Amino acid sequence: MCLSAVNGSSSQSSGISSRIKAEDMFCNSSPCCNDAGFLQKNNSLDEKSRMVGAFKESAKNQMCDNSERFTRAETDFSNLFARDLLPAKNGEEPTIQFLLEVVEILTNYVRKTFDRSTKVLDFHHPHQLLEGMEGFNLELSDQPESLEQILVDCRDTLKYGVRTGHPRFFNQLSSGLDIIGLAGEWLTSTANTNMFTYEIAPVFVLMEQLTLKKMREIIGWPNGDGDGLFSPGGAISNMYSVMVARYKYFPEVKTKGMSAAPRLVLFTSEHSHYSIKKAGAVLGFGKENVILLKTDERYLFFFFDECDFKLYGAFDPINDIADICEKYNLWLHVDGAWGGGLLMSRKHRHKLSGIERANSVTWNPHKMMGVPLQCSAILVREKGILQGCNSMCAGYLFQPDKQYDVNYDTGDKAIQCGRHVDIFKFWLMWKAKGTTGFEQHIDRCLEISEYLYNKIKNREGYEMVFEGQPQHSNVCFWYIPPSLRGMPDGDERREKLHRVAPKIKAMMMECGTTMVGYQPQGDKVNFFRMVVSNHAVTKSDIDFLIDEIERLGHDV
Amino acid sequence: MCLSAVNGSSSQSSGISSRIKAEDMFCNSSPCCNDAGFLQKNNSLDEKSRMVGAFKESAKNQMCDNSERFTRAETDFSNLFARDLLPAKNGEEPTIQFLLEVVEILTNYVRKTFDRSTKVLDFHHPHQLLEGMEGFNLELSDQPESLEQILVDCRDTLKYGVRTGHPRFFNQLSSGLDIIGLAGEWLTSTANTNMFTYEIAPVFVLMEQLTLKKMREIIGWPNGDGDGLFSPGGAISNMYSVMVARYKYFPEVKTKGMSAAPRLVLFTSEHSHYSIKKAGAVLGFGKENVILLKTDERYLFFFFDECDFKLYGAFDPINDIADICEKYNLWLHVDGAWGGGLLMSRKHRHKLSGIERANSVTWNPHKMMGVPLQCSAILVREKGILQGCNSMCAGYLFQPDKQYDVNYDTGDKAIQCGRHVDIFKFWLMWKAKGTTGFEQHIDRCLEISEYLYNKIKNREGYEMVFEGQPQHSNVCFWYIPPSLRGMPDGDERREKLHRVAPKIKAMMMECGTTMVGYQPQGDKVNFFRMVVSNHAVTKSDIDFLIDEIERLGHDV
C-alpha cells in the first residue's frame, strides 16, 4: 500500500503542542488526590516511570523524528475487523490506520464536492439501490464484515448520495460544506457527549451560553438577557415557542393539561412554515386553531392568544405586528429560522426591524449562516421561563448537591433528555470567521440572488412568482418553455405549466448536473424556488443553472 | 513542520479505489443528457480532455507514486484563515492540510481516551473556564482568528472536556467511543444532509428503513412490519409514542385539539423515565394526568387510556401488562431506550419477553449498544400511523409529482422538518460487528456488572439499593464510610448517608480518576448508580472504581 505518514505529534513550527502533557498525566494538586495513588493501581508496571517515558517519547515526537507510531503503514484491512480496533489489545495501530483511511475517503469527497466537473448526484431509484448497486449491499447481516468492506461501504455511501455542498446544489435552505464547521462536527462526534449537564459537557455548555447571549444581543434584547437552547431543528424550536407562550399565559396547562385553559389560538401567516401547524397539532391546540392570515409578507411569525381574535390582511414590518400584539396582549414569536441570518448583516438587518420586540425567536444557523446540520436556536426574552415550562427535576440527572453551580445544567430546560452537541461547530465557525465573516457570507449570498433576479426578471421564458425584488435570497420563478409561450392564460396553460418544473427537475436529477427545489403554493402552480446559502456559489453557477433549465426545458 | 504524507488515492493492496471514476465524471446514459453538454458549460478548457487527464492522474495515483497533492506539508497556519479554505481559489491544499491537522488532534484524543494512565476529566468550575484557562478564550469576536488559533481552540476544547469513552467513565447510560461509529459520524457530517426526503438522502433513507425493519423483526413483530423513525433522543421517541396513541384513539385531536377528547390519562411506572411526565406536559395532557404506578419492576412502560382507569400494584413481566392493556383496550408502549439493547442477546432477551405485544417501542442504540450520540428509534407496530398522526403535506418539500416513489420521503412522518442523519453510524456498526457482535457487547457489559454486584454485595461498607441480582447492567448501591458503620438506622444516619455519594463524586471529579452517577429516588437517599455500556470496561476497572470509592470515602 502506497500510503504515507502522519505524525502523531503536533507541528513544531506552529508552536502548538498536542502532546500528552505531564500535568495531564499526574494527579493534580487537589487535596483529595495528593498521593497520586490512582495512577498506581491495577498496573504491574510502575506507571509513573512509564509515563515519564511516554512523555519523553512525546517530546521526542515534537522534535520531528517522524515517530513510527503514526506512520501510515501498508495495512491489509481484509483481515481486520471491528473487534481488532480499540479497545482491543494492540488496537491502537489498526485504529489509527483505519481512521486515516476513512479520512482519505472523506477528504477526497470534500475535494470533489467543490469541483464543478463532478456531478451533484448520481441518481438511482430506491429499488435500484435496494437491489444492490455494483455490490453495494444495504442489508444487515449476523456476521461482521471486514474493515476493507466497511471502507468500501463508506465510499459507496458517498458515491450514491447527494453532494449538498456542491456549488450547483440549490435544493434546500441548508447547503454548502463549511470546512471549519466540518472540523467542528468531527470534533463533536469524537467528544461524543451530551448537553444535559455541565458535568459531562463543561466546555460545550459554556459555549452554548455565550453564543446564545451573543445572538440575543444581536436581536437587540437589552444586555443580551433572556434564555435559550439549541434544539434539533427549526420545527422543534418553533414548538418550544408555542409551549413557552402557553406556559406564560396558562401555567396550569403544564400540570392539568389543555382542559385547564380556554380555547387557545395561534395566528400565523399563510406563508409560514408548516411546523407552526404541526406544533398546534402536537401540543394539543389542534391545527384548526392555527389561523392562517393572508399577508403580503414573507416573514414567518405567529401570535398567540387565548381569545377568538381573528385578523386578516396584509402585514408589513414586524413593528406593525408587534403593535397589534402589544395592544391585544399576544405573545409574538418571530420564526427567523431562515431569515435570522440577515441579522448578521448591517446592510440587510433592517428587514427584521422590530424583532427586538418579539417574545421569542427561532434562528437556525444551519440555514443562511452555512453551519452544518443540525444547528437551530430558540431564543426567549424572558429569563427562566424555559426552565419553568419544562422542568421535571429528575433526581438522577440534576442533583442540587453537586460541587459546581448547577444553574449551568441545561437539561431541565429542554423537552429532550439527552441533547446533541450542536454548538461547537457554530462556535468554532464564529471564532474562525468573526462576526464580520458571517456578514460577508450573508451579503454575498444576497448579492448572488440579486444577480439571478436581475438576470431573469425580463428574460424571455421567465415569470416571477412575487412582484418586486426578493428581500431574502429566495427567488421564485416559473420557466415557460417555448411550447407554452404565447398560450393564453387559463386552465390548460396552468395545468401544463404545473408539470414543467417537475419534469425539468427530474431531468436535472437524472443528469446530476444541478438541483433546485420546486413547489406549488396556494393557487400558484409549481414554480422553482431558488435559494442561495452556500458561499461556494458564484455568478457563473447561476448562469449554469439558467442554461441548464433552458437546455432541459426547451422541448418540454 | 515535521508532518508526513497522506496519499489521496486508495491502497493498491486492498484493491479498493476511491479515485474519480470516469463514469462518475461523464454524463450517464439517461436520455436527457446524452449530449454530455452540462460538462462543457462555463469552462474555457475542454472539460472532457481535462477530465480524461484527471482520470489518468488518478489512475497514476493508484500506481502508488505518492502524488504530491496529498503530501502532508509544513504549513504555517498562523497566516491562514477560514477564508483561505475551500471554496477559495487554491483553497484545496490548505483545506486538506487543515483537516489533517484536526484529525491528528482527534486521533491523539482517541488514543488517550483508551489510555488508563490519563484522566477521565480535568475538572474546572464554570467561572474558571469563563475567566479563560491558560488563554482558552470562549468569547466570540468580530474579527476572525487564524487557523493556528482555531487548532488551539480545538485542543483546548478537548482538554477541558470529559472523556466519555474512557474505560473509567461510568457516569451515564451512554458511554464508550466506538471507532466504527466514530468513523460513521465523521462521514455523516461530511455528507451534511437531511433525512426528510429520499431526494437528498437516498442512501441514508434506505438504510434507516432497512435498519428499522430489522429492529422490528428483533422485537418480534410479524415480518418486521410496522413503522418507525430515528428521533433526537429517547424523550422525543417516548413523546412520539404518546402522540401516536392519542391519534389512534382520538384522531380528531390533531385537528381540533385536546378539547375534542375526554380526559386522557397516561399510566406509567413510578420508576419510569421523567420524559413520560414531560410528554404529558408538552402534549397537553398535563403532568397530573400521568399516573405513576407502584411497581417492583424496573422496566419502563406506560399505558394510555381515555378513561379514568386507575391501577396500583406491582407489575412483573411485560406479558402481564399486555394482558391488562388488551383487557382495557389500552395502548402499550415499552420504553426500551436503555433496555432495548438486551433484545440483541439470546441470553438476556427473555427479560423483555412480551415486548412483541407492545404497540410501540422506544429503543436507543446510543445507550446499551454503544452507538455514538444521538441514535434513538421509535418503533410502531401499526403501519402508516406515524404519517397519519404527523402529516401536514408541505408542498415545498413533499411534492407528489417527483420522479421517484415518494413513499420513501420520511419528512411528513416526523414532528421535525429537518432531521439529522442518525442512522449511518449505527448501520455501519451493524455491518462491522454483525448482529453477533452486538450480542457479545451486551453479554459482556452484563457480565461486568454481575462481577461488580458479586464483588460488593457482601463486602463491608456496601449496601445494595434493590434486592436481588440486577436484571440489566445497572448496579445501585450505597457506600457506607467507616464513620457511619454501626450507626443505628434513623434520620441522622440517613442525612449523613445522603451526603456521602455527592462528596465522593466531587472528589472523583476533582481528581479526574473516574466518574459514576448518584441520585436519590423516592425515600431512598443518594446512592451510586453504576452502569456499564462501554465495551472498553474490564473487571480491573471495576476493581479500580471500588478502590477509588474506598480511598476517597474512607474519611467522609
Short mmCIF file of all heavy atoms in Angstrom, two decimals, chain A residues 4-5 7 9 16 32 104 108 124 137 155 198-199 246 273 278 282 390 396 399 401 414 431 505 513 518, chain B residues 4-5 7-9 16 38 104 124 137 155 198-199 246 278 282 390 396 399 401 414 431 505 511 518:
data_model
loop_
_atom_site.label_atom_id
_atom_site.label_comp_id
_atom_site.label_asym_id
_atom_site.label_seq_id
_atom_site.Cartn_x
_atom_site.Cartn_y
_atom_site.Cartn_z
N SER A 4 1.20 7.22 3.03
CA SER A 4 2.34 7.86 3.66
C SER A 4 2.03 8.22 5.10
O SER A 4 1.01 7.84 5.65
CB SER A 4 2.71 9.06 2.82
OG SER A 4 1.54 9.67 2.33
N ALA A 5 2.88 8.95 5.69
CA ALA A 5 2.89 9.04 7.15
C ALA A 5 2.18 10.27 7.69
O ALA A 5 2.24 11.36 7.13
CB ALA A 5 4.33 9.07 7.63
N ASN A 7 2.25 12.21 11.30
CA ASN A 7 2.96 12.21 12.57
C ASN A 7 2.01 12.49 13.73
O ASN A 7 1.16 13.37 13.65
CB ASN A 7 4.05 13.28 12.51
CG ASN A 7 4.98 13.15 13.69
OD1 ASN A 7 4.53 13.20 14.82
ND2 ASN A 7 6.24 12.94 13.42
N SER A 9 2.59 13.71 16.64
CA SER A 9 2.77 14.93 17.41
C SER A 9 2.36 16.12 16.57
O SER A 9 2.16 16.02 15.37
CB SER A 9 4.22 15.07 17.81
OG SER A 9 4.97 15.44 16.69
N ILE A 16 2.39 24.79 18.68
CA ILE A 16 1.23 24.30 19.42
C ILE A 16 1.46 22.83 19.71
O ILE A 16 1.79 22.07 18.82
CB ILE A 16 -0.03 24.44 18.55
CG1 ILE A 16 -0.22 25.89 18.16
CG2 ILE A 16 -1.23 23.89 19.29
CD1 ILE A 16 -1.11 26.04 16.97
N CYS A 32 -7.59 16.01 47.51
CA CYS A 32 -8.15 14.67 47.57
C CYS A 32 -7.24 13.64 46.94
O CYS A 32 -7.41 12.46 47.13
CB CYS A 32 -9.51 14.61 46.90
SG CYS A 32 -9.41 14.81 45.13
N GLU A 104 -9.12 9.76 4.41
CA GLU A 104 -8.75 9.89 3.00
C GLU A 104 -10.00 9.87 2.11
O GLU A 104 -10.14 10.67 1.18
CB GLU A 104 -7.82 8.75 2.63
CG GLU A 104 -7.25 8.93 1.25
CD GLU A 104 -6.24 7.85 0.98
OE1 GLU A 104 -5.14 7.94 1.55
OE2 GLU A 104 -6.57 6.93 0.22
N ASN A 108 -11.19 13.18 0.01
CA ASN A 108 -11.45 13.07 -1.42
C ASN A 108 -12.85 13.57 -1.75
O ASN A 108 -13.07 14.24 -2.76
CB ASN A 108 -11.30 11.62 -1.89
CG ASN A 108 -9.86 11.28 -2.18
OD1 ASN A 108 -9.11 12.13 -2.66
ND2 ASN A 108 -9.46 10.05 -1.89
N HIS A 124 -30.28 7.28 -8.46
CA HIS A 124 -30.85 5.96 -8.66
C HIS A 124 -32.17 5.88 -7.90
O HIS A 124 -32.32 6.48 -6.85
CB HIS A 124 -29.92 4.86 -8.16
CG HIS A 124 -28.66 4.79 -8.95
ND1 HIS A 124 -27.56 5.56 -8.66
CD2 HIS A 124 -28.34 4.07 -10.06
CE1 HIS A 124 -26.61 5.32 -9.55
NE2 HIS A 124 -27.05 4.43 -10.40
N ASN A 137 -24.31 -3.50 -0.85
CA ASN A 137 -25.39 -4.24 -0.21
C ASN A 137 -25.81 -3.55 1.08
O ASN A 137 -25.05 -3.49 2.04
CB ASN A 137 -24.89 -5.66 0.07
CG ASN A 137 -25.91 -6.50 0.82
OD1 ASN A 137 -27.09 -6.12 0.91
ND2 ASN A 137 -25.47 -7.60 1.37
N ARG A 155 -17.28 4.41 0.98
CA ARG A 155 -17.14 5.03 -0.36
C ARG A 155 -18.46 4.98 -1.12
O ARG A 155 -18.87 5.95 -1.74
CB ARG A 155 -16.08 4.30 -1.17
CG ARG A 155 -14.68 4.61 -0.73
CD ARG A 155 -13.64 4.07 -1.72
NE ARG A 155 -12.33 4.20 -1.10
CZ ARG A 155 -11.78 3.26 -0.32
NH1 ARG A 155 -12.40 2.11 -0.12
NH2 ARG A 155 -10.62 3.49 0.24
N TYR A 198 -23.53 20.28 32.87
CA TYR A 198 -22.18 20.84 32.86
C TYR A 198 -21.16 19.75 33.19
O TYR A 198 -20.06 19.73 32.66
CB TYR A 198 -22.11 21.97 33.90
CG TYR A 198 -20.74 22.59 34.02
CD1 TYR A 198 -20.36 23.63 33.18
CD2 TYR A 198 -19.83 22.14 34.97
CE1 TYR A 198 -19.09 24.20 33.28
CE2 TYR A 198 -18.57 22.70 35.08
CZ TYR A 198 -18.20 23.72 34.23
OH TYR A 198 -16.96 24.27 34.32
N GLU A 199 -21.59 18.85 34.03
CA GLU A 199 -20.72 17.78 34.50
C GLU A 199 -20.03 17.03 33.36
O GLU A 199 -18.86 16.71 33.46
CB GLU A 199 -21.60 16.83 35.31
CG GLU A 199 -20.91 15.70 35.98
CD GLU A 199 -21.91 15.00 36.92
OE1 GLU A 199 -22.70 15.70 37.57
OE2 GLU A 199 -21.89 13.77 36.99
N ARG A 246 -47.63 29.35 25.87
CA ARG A 246 -48.75 28.73 26.60
C ARG A 246 -48.48 28.73 28.10
O ARG A 246 -49.37 29.04 28.90
CB ARG A 246 -48.93 27.29 26.09
CG ARG A 246 -50.00 26.50 26.80
CD ARG A 246 -50.20 25.12 26.15
NE ARG A 246 -49.06 24.23 26.36
CZ ARG A 246 -49.00 22.98 25.87
NH1 ARG A 246 -49.99 22.50 25.12
NH2 ARG A 246 -47.94 22.22 26.09
N HIS A 273 -44.14 28.60 7.93
CA HIS A 273 -43.67 27.23 7.80
C HIS A 273 -44.69 26.27 8.39
O HIS A 273 -45.35 26.58 9.38
CB HIS A 273 -42.34 27.10 8.54
CG HIS A 273 -41.62 25.83 8.24
ND1 HIS A 273 -41.62 24.76 9.10
CD2 HIS A 273 -40.90 25.45 7.18
CE1 HIS A 273 -40.90 23.78 8.58
NE2 HIS A 273 -40.45 24.17 7.42
N LYS A 278 -47.93 22.14 12.68
CA LYS A 278 -47.55 20.89 13.32
C LYS A 278 -47.48 21.06 14.83
O LYS A 278 -47.95 20.22 15.58
CB LYS A 278 -46.19 20.43 12.76
CG LYS A 278 -46.05 18.95 12.66
CD LYS A 278 -44.93 18.52 11.69
CE LYS A 278 -45.47 17.56 10.66
NZ LYS A 278 -44.46 16.92 9.81
N VAL A 282 -49.43 18.90 17.57
CA VAL A 282 -48.68 18.13 18.58
C VAL A 282 -49.07 18.56 19.99
O VAL A 282 -49.32 17.72 20.86
CB VAL A 282 -47.16 18.32 18.38
CG1 VAL A 282 -46.37 17.79 19.57
CG2 VAL A 282 -46.70 17.67 17.08
N ASN A 390 -40.52 23.62 31.36
CA ASN A 390 -40.14 22.24 31.05
C ASN A 390 -39.56 21.44 32.20
O ASN A 390 -39.38 20.23 32.08
CB ASN A 390 -39.14 22.24 29.89
CG ASN A 390 -39.78 22.75 28.62
OD1 ASN A 390 -40.91 22.41 28.31
ND2 ASN A 390 -39.07 23.59 27.88
N TYR A 396 -32.04 11.92 39.08
CA TYR A 396 -30.87 11.14 38.71
C TYR A 396 -29.91 11.92 37.81
O TYR A 396 -28.78 11.54 37.60
CB TYR A 396 -31.28 9.81 38.07
CG TYR A 396 -31.58 9.87 36.60
CD1 TYR A 396 -30.63 9.46 35.67
CD2 TYR A 396 -32.80 10.33 36.13
CE1 TYR A 396 -30.90 9.51 34.32
CE2 TYR A 396 -33.07 10.38 34.81
CZ TYR A 396 -32.12 9.96 33.89
OH TYR A 396 -32.39 10.01 32.56
N GLN A 399 -28.85 16.76 40.19
CA GLN A 399 -28.73 16.77 41.64
C GLN A 399 -28.35 18.16 42.11
O GLN A 399 -27.37 18.73 41.64
CB GLN A 399 -27.65 15.79 42.09
CG GLN A 399 -27.84 14.37 41.61
CD GLN A 399 -27.18 14.11 40.26
OE1 GLN A 399 -26.85 15.03 39.55
NE2 GLN A 399 -27.03 12.86 39.91
N ASP A 401 -27.06 18.84 44.85
CA ASP A 401 -25.91 18.80 45.76
C ASP A 401 -24.59 18.55 45.04
O ASP A 401 -23.66 17.99 45.58
CB ASP A 401 -26.14 17.76 46.86
CG ASP A 401 -26.75 16.48 46.33
OD1 ASP A 401 -26.71 16.26 45.10
OD2 ASP A 401 -27.27 15.68 47.13
N ALA A 414 -35.03 21.63 28.72
CA ALA A 414 -35.31 21.06 27.40
C ALA A 414 -36.44 20.06 27.46
O ALA A 414 -36.73 19.50 28.51
CB ALA A 414 -34.05 20.39 26.87
N LYS A 431 -15.58 31.84 15.72
CA LYS A 431 -14.18 32.17 16.02
C LYS A 431 -13.38 32.37 14.73
O LYS A 431 -12.56 33.28 14.62
CB LYS A 431 -13.55 31.02 16.82
CG LYS A 431 -13.90 31.01 18.28
CD LYS A 431 -12.98 31.95 19.04
CE LYS A 431 -13.12 31.81 20.53
NZ LYS A 431 -12.39 32.85 21.26
N LYS A 505 -36.92 19.22 -13.23
CA LYS A 505 -36.21 18.76 -12.03
C LYS A 505 -35.82 17.29 -12.15
O LYS A 505 -34.69 16.91 -11.79
CB LYS A 505 -37.12 18.96 -10.81
CG LYS A 505 -36.62 18.36 -9.51
CD LYS A 505 -35.44 19.12 -8.94
CE LYS A 505 -34.98 18.56 -7.60
NZ LYS A 505 -35.80 19.02 -6.48
N THR A 513 -26.64 17.24 -12.79
CA THR A 513 -25.86 18.46 -13.03
C THR A 513 -26.11 19.55 -12.00
O THR A 513 -25.25 20.35 -11.69
CB THR A 513 -26.24 19.05 -14.39
OG1 THR A 513 -27.68 19.10 -14.46
CG2 THR A 513 -25.72 18.17 -15.49
N TYR A 518 -38.70 22.90 -6.26
CA TYR A 518 -39.92 23.50 -6.83
C TYR A 518 -41.05 23.19 -5.90
O TYR A 518 -40.95 22.31 -5.04
CB TYR A 518 -40.21 22.96 -8.24
CG TYR A 518 -40.69 21.53 -8.26
CD1 TYR A 518 -42.04 21.21 -8.10
CD2 TYR A 518 -39.79 20.49 -8.44
CE1 TYR A 518 -42.47 19.89 -8.09
CE2 TYR A 518 -40.21 19.17 -8.44
CZ TYR A 518 -41.55 18.88 -8.27
OH TYR A 518 -41.99 17.58 -8.26
N SER B 4 3.89 14.27 7.96
CA SER B 4 4.19 13.39 6.85
C SER B 4 3.00 13.26 5.91
O SER B 4 2.01 13.96 6.05
CB SER B 4 4.64 12.06 7.42
OG SER B 4 3.88 11.77 8.58
N ALA B 5 3.08 12.38 4.99
CA ALA B 5 2.18 12.43 3.84
C ALA B 5 1.01 11.48 3.92
O ALA B 5 1.11 10.37 4.42
CB ALA B 5 2.99 12.09 2.60
N ASN B 7 -1.61 9.93 1.14
CA ASN B 7 -1.83 9.86 -0.30
C ASN B 7 -3.30 9.93 -0.61
O ASN B 7 -4.12 9.29 0.04
CB ASN B 7 -1.24 8.54 -0.80
CG ASN B 7 -1.22 8.52 -2.30
OD1 ASN B 7 -2.25 8.66 -2.92
ND2 ASN B 7 -0.04 8.41 -2.86
N GLY B 8 -3.63 10.68 -1.60
CA GLY B 8 -5.04 10.85 -1.95
C GLY B 8 -5.69 9.64 -2.55
O GLY B 8 -6.89 9.47 -2.49
N SER B 9 -4.93 8.80 -3.13
CA SER B 9 -5.55 7.61 -3.72
C SER B 9 -5.64 6.53 -2.68
O SER B 9 -5.04 6.59 -1.61
CB SER B 9 -4.71 7.12 -4.88
OG SER B 9 -3.54 6.51 -4.38
N ILE B 16 -9.26 -1.49 -3.45
CA ILE B 16 -10.44 -0.63 -3.39
C ILE B 16 -10.04 0.74 -3.94
O ILE B 16 -9.04 1.30 -3.51
CB ILE B 16 -10.89 -0.45 -1.94
CG1 ILE B 16 -11.19 -1.82 -1.35
CG2 ILE B 16 -12.08 0.46 -1.85
CD1 ILE B 16 -11.18 -1.79 0.15
N PHE B 38 -23.63 19.30 -20.18
CA PHE B 38 -23.52 20.08 -18.95
C PHE B 38 -22.09 20.28 -18.54
O PHE B 38 -21.76 21.23 -17.86
CB PHE B 38 -24.33 19.43 -17.83
CG PHE B 38 -23.67 18.28 -17.16
CD1 PHE B 38 -22.86 18.47 -16.04
CD2 PHE B 38 -23.85 16.99 -17.65
CE1 PHE B 38 -22.28 17.39 -15.41
CE2 PHE B 38 -23.25 15.92 -17.03
CZ PHE B 38 -22.46 16.11 -15.92
N GLU B 104 -5.29 14.83 13.35
CA GLU B 104 -4.21 14.47 14.27
C GLU B 104 -4.61 14.74 15.72
O GLU B 104 -4.36 13.94 16.62
CB GLU B 104 -2.97 15.26 13.90
CG GLU B 104 -1.77 14.79 14.66
CD GLU B 104 -0.55 15.52 14.18
OE1 GLU B 104 -0.08 15.22 13.08
OE2 GLU B 104 -0.10 16.42 14.90
N HIS B 124 -12.85 21.83 36.02
CA HIS B 124 -12.80 23.24 36.40
C HIS B 124 -14.21 23.75 36.59
O HIS B 124 -15.14 23.32 35.90
CB HIS B 124 -12.10 24.06 35.32
CG HIS B 124 -10.65 23.71 35.19
ND1 HIS B 124 -10.21 22.70 34.39
CD2 HIS B 124 -9.56 24.21 35.81
CE1 HIS B 124 -8.90 22.59 34.51
NE2 HIS B 124 -8.47 23.48 35.37
N ASN B 137 -9.92 31.22 25.41
CA ASN B 137 -10.90 32.29 25.46
C ASN B 137 -12.19 31.87 24.76
O ASN B 137 -12.21 31.69 23.54
CB ASN B 137 -10.30 33.55 24.81
CG ASN B 137 -11.30 34.68 24.74
OD1 ASN B 137 -12.35 34.64 25.38
ND2 ASN B 137 -10.97 35.69 23.96
N ARG B 155 -7.91 21.87 20.46
CA ARG B 155 -7.18 21.12 21.50
C ARG B 155 -7.70 21.46 22.89
O ARG B 155 -7.92 20.60 23.73
CB ARG B 155 -5.69 21.44 21.44
CG ARG B 155 -4.99 20.78 20.29
CD ARG B 155 -3.47 20.91 20.40
NE ARG B 155 -2.90 20.51 19.13
CZ ARG B 155 -2.67 21.34 18.12
NH1 ARG B 155 -2.92 22.63 18.24
NH2 ARG B 155 -2.20 20.88 16.97
N TYR B 198 -36.01 11.42 0.29
CA TYR B 198 -35.15 10.50 -0.46
C TYR B 198 -34.28 11.30 -1.42
O TYR B 198 -33.12 10.95 -1.66
CB TYR B 198 -36.03 9.51 -1.22
CG TYR B 198 -35.24 8.55 -2.08
CD1 TYR B 198 -34.74 7.36 -1.53
CD2 TYR B 198 -34.99 8.81 -3.42
CE1 TYR B 198 -33.99 6.48 -2.31
CE2 TYR B 198 -34.25 7.94 -4.20
CZ TYR B 198 -33.76 6.77 -3.64
OH TYR B 198 -33.01 5.91 -4.41
N GLU B 199 -34.84 12.35 -1.94
CA GLU B 199 -34.16 13.18 -2.93
C GLU B 199 -32.76 13.60 -2.49
O GLU B 199 -31.84 13.60 -3.31
CB GLU B 199 -35.03 14.42 -3.12
CG GLU B 199 -34.64 15.36 -4.19
CD GLU B 199 -35.75 16.40 -4.39
OE1 GLU B 199 -36.94 15.99 -4.39
OE2 GLU B 199 -35.45 17.58 -4.54
N ARG B 246 -52.50 8.74 21.05
CA ARG B 246 -53.60 9.71 21.08
C ARG B 246 -54.30 9.77 19.74
O ARG B 246 -55.53 9.80 19.65
CB ARG B 246 -53.04 11.09 21.46
CG ARG B 246 -54.04 12.22 21.46
CD ARG B 246 -53.41 13.52 21.98
NE ARG B 246 -52.44 14.08 21.06
CZ ARG B 246 -51.76 15.21 21.27
NH1 ARG B 246 -51.94 15.90 22.39
NH2 ARG B 246 -50.89 15.65 20.39
N LYS B 278 -42.89 14.48 31.10
CA LYS B 278 -42.62 15.64 30.25
C LYS B 278 -43.52 15.59 29.02
O LYS B 278 -44.10 16.60 28.62
CB LYS B 278 -41.14 15.64 29.86
CG LYS B 278 -40.57 17.01 29.67
CD LYS B 278 -39.04 17.02 29.74
CE LYS B 278 -38.54 17.99 30.77
NZ LYS B 278 -37.10 18.23 30.80
N VAL B 282 -46.04 18.46 27.78
CA VAL B 282 -45.87 19.08 26.46
C VAL B 282 -47.12 18.90 25.61
O VAL B 282 -47.59 19.85 24.96
CB VAL B 282 -44.65 18.46 25.73
CG1 VAL B 282 -44.61 18.86 24.27
CG2 VAL B 282 -43.35 18.83 26.45
N ASN B 390 -48.85 12.78 11.93
CA ASN B 390 -47.99 13.96 11.81
C ASN B 390 -48.02 14.68 10.47
O ASN B 390 -47.46 15.77 10.36
CB ASN B 390 -46.54 13.57 12.14
CG ASN B 390 -46.40 13.15 13.59
OD1 ASN B 390 -47.00 13.76 14.47
ND2 ASN B 390 -45.67 12.09 13.83
N TYR B 396 -43.79 22.35 -0.35
CA TYR B 396 -42.47 22.73 -0.83
C TYR B 396 -41.43 21.64 -0.61
O TYR B 396 -40.33 21.69 -1.15
CB TYR B 396 -42.02 24.05 -0.21
CG TYR B 396 -41.38 23.95 1.15
CD1 TYR B 396 -40.00 23.99 1.29
CD2 TYR B 396 -42.16 23.80 2.28
CE1 TYR B 396 -39.41 23.90 2.54
CE2 TYR B 396 -41.59 23.71 3.53
CZ TYR B 396 -40.22 23.76 3.65
OH TYR B 396 -39.64 23.67 4.88
N GLN B 399 -43.41 16.96 -2.71
CA GLN B 399 -44.19 17.05 -3.93
C GLN B 399 -44.58 15.65 -4.40
O GLN B 399 -43.72 14.79 -4.56
CB GLN B 399 -43.38 17.74 -5.04
CG GLN B 399 -42.83 19.10 -4.65
CD GLN B 399 -41.46 19.03 -4.00
OE1 GLN B 399 -41.04 17.97 -3.56
NE2 GLN B 399 -40.78 20.15 -3.93
N ASP B 401 -45.43 14.87 -7.27
CA ASP B 401 -45.10 14.67 -8.69
C ASP B 401 -43.60 14.49 -8.93
O ASP B 401 -43.06 14.81 -9.96
CB ASP B 401 -45.64 15.83 -9.53
CG ASP B 401 -45.42 17.19 -8.87
OD1 ASP B 401 -44.60 17.26 -7.92
OD2 ASP B 401 -46.05 18.18 -9.29
N ALA B 414 -42.58 12.92 10.58
CA ALA B 414 -41.84 13.41 11.74
C ALA B 414 -42.45 14.69 12.28
O ALA B 414 -43.15 15.40 11.57
CB ALA B 414 -40.39 13.66 11.35
N LYS B 431 -22.96 -3.43 10.30
CA LYS B 431 -22.19 -4.11 9.25
C LYS B 431 -20.88 -4.64 9.82
O LYS B 431 -20.44 -5.74 9.51
CB LYS B 431 -21.87 -3.11 8.13
CG LYS B 431 -23.01 -2.85 7.16
CD LYS B 431 -23.06 -3.97 6.14
CE LYS B 431 -23.99 -3.63 4.98
NZ LYS B 431 -24.18 -4.77 4.07
N LYS B 505 -18.27 11.78 44.92
CA LYS B 505 -18.33 12.14 43.50
C LYS B 505 -17.54 13.42 43.23
O LYS B 505 -16.80 13.52 42.24
CB LYS B 505 -19.80 12.33 43.09
CG LYS B 505 -20.04 12.90 41.69
CD LYS B 505 -19.72 11.87 40.63
CE LYS B 505 -20.00 12.41 39.23
NZ LYS B 505 -21.39 12.33 38.87
N CYS B 511 -10.29 14.89 41.22
CA CYS B 511 -9.14 14.05 40.86
C CYS B 511 -9.15 13.68 39.39
O CYS B 511 -8.11 13.48 38.78
CB CYS B 511 -9.18 12.73 41.64
SG CYS B 511 -8.86 12.92 43.37
N TYR B 518 -24.79 9.41 40.77
CA TYR B 518 -25.53 9.11 42.00
C TYR B 518 -26.87 9.81 41.91
O TYR B 518 -27.07 10.72 41.09
CB TYR B 518 -24.76 9.57 43.25
CG TYR B 518 -24.71 11.08 43.43
CD1 TYR B 518 -25.74 11.77 44.07
CD2 TYR B 518 -23.64 11.81 42.93
CE1 TYR B 518 -25.71 13.14 44.20
CE2 TYR B 518 -23.60 13.19 43.07
CZ TYR B 518 -24.64 13.85 43.71
OH TYR B 518 -24.62 15.20 43.83
#
